[in-house]
Amino acid sequence: MRKVIYIFILLFSLSSFSQEVFDYEFDDNVTIQVLEDTEEGEIAGGKYVKGTYKNEIVIFMSSDKGMDKMSNSDEAGLMKFFQGVKDGALKSSKGTLLSEEVVMIQDNKAFKFSYTLTMNGKKNRVDTYAFIYKNISYSLQFVNNEKGFEKGNDLRTQILESIVLK
């Protein structure tokens, strides 16, 4: 009986240490759920938050760098911007494009593209969501081992659906 109680206590304590997400006011425009261990930093013209859950790396970042050129842009200019983001990511990572599509985040057009890359000798998959809101570009990236990528779908969906554009 004692062993059963110890096993129950062990299982209960392990499940209580599971990582959680919480609502985070990223800036004046966006609130998003982030992981408990998220770190925050600055990049040229913006900022980022980065967290890890199991093998999944989640990065959300913003930048207003070069956005002055987008202020009067039409649909073709927006697609050109999205293609530039995709091309830059593929070139810098030496990645291979898997898919691309236009999606909606709330009522805002976003560009989703998926690609594979090799990191530390392992093949990884990256799903990137890029969008412009209030003249600031935002991107959300999910990175995980290609073989186990589907296991993180619930986490990705939860974070994507948590985005609130103000």
Side-chain angles (χ1 to χ4, degrees), residues 11 32 36 42 45 57 60 83 93 99 103 110 122 125 127 136 142:
L11 289 174
I32 186 170
E36 279 180 342
E42 302 215 1
I57 300 169
F60 187 66
Q83 292 299 323
S93 68
S99 66
V103 297
K122 294 181 181 176
R125 178 174 163 175
D127 277 5
I136 297 174
F142 300 100

Side-chain angles (χ1 to χ4, degrees), residues 1-156:
M1 182 67 174
R2 221 179 225 172
K3 286 182 182 179
V4 172
I5 293 172
Y6 286 138
I7 290 172
F8 177 73
I9 291 171
L10 177 64
L11 289 174
F12 179 74
S13 63
L14 287 175
S15 67
S16 67
F17 288 112
S18 66
Q19 190 166 22
E20 298 291 326
V21 295
F22 63 93
D23 289 336
Y24 174 74
E25 189 169 330
F26 183 78
D27 61 17
D28 292 339
N29 301 326
V30 179
T31 300
I32 186 170
Q33 286 188 346
V34 297
L35 301 167
E36 279 180 342
D37 73 342
T38 295
E39 66 182 68
E40 198 172 22
E42 302 215 1
I43 57 173
K47 67 184 247 181
Y48 72 89
V49 290
K50 176 183 173 187
T52 305
Y53 177 71
K54 296 183 181 178
N55 293 330
E56 186 98 12
I57 300 169
V58 181
I59 305 166
F60 187 66
M61 63 183 119
S62 68
S63 178
D64 62 4
K65 192 174 179 184
M67 294 312 303
D68 53 336
K69 298 173 187 166
M70 292 298 297
S71 61
N72 294 322
S73 187
D74 57 4
E75 184 76 20
L78 182 62
M79 290 310 294
K80 185 177 178 181
F81 171 79
F82 288 155
Q83 292 299 323
V85 170
K86 177 192 74 175
D87 293 345
L90 292 173
K91 184 177 180 182
S92 66
S93 68
K94 298 180 180 152
T96 303
L97 183 67
L98 297 173
S99 66
E100 61 183 281
E101 65 181 308
V102 175
V103 297
M104 299 299 283
I105 294 180
Q106 287 189 341
D107 292 328
N108 198 57
K109 223 171 242 189
F111 185 67
K112 176 190 178 195
F113 60 99
S114 300
Y115 60 100
T116 57
L117 60 88
T118 302
M119 281 179 15
N120 302 325
K122 294 181 181 176
K123 198 167 188 179
N124 289 281
R125 178 174 163 175
V126 180
D127 277 5
T128 300
Y129 296 80
F131 63 95
I132 297 173
Y133 186 67
K134 293 188 178 178
N135 217 32
I136 297 174
S137 68
Y138 295 91
S139 70
L140 173 60
Q141 289 187 314
F142 300 100
V143 183
N144 203 336
N145 183 291
E146 185 181 42
K147 290 181 181 177
F149 196 80
E150 299 305 317
K151 293 178 185 175
N153 283 344
D154 290 342
L155 173 69
R156 286 182 218 107

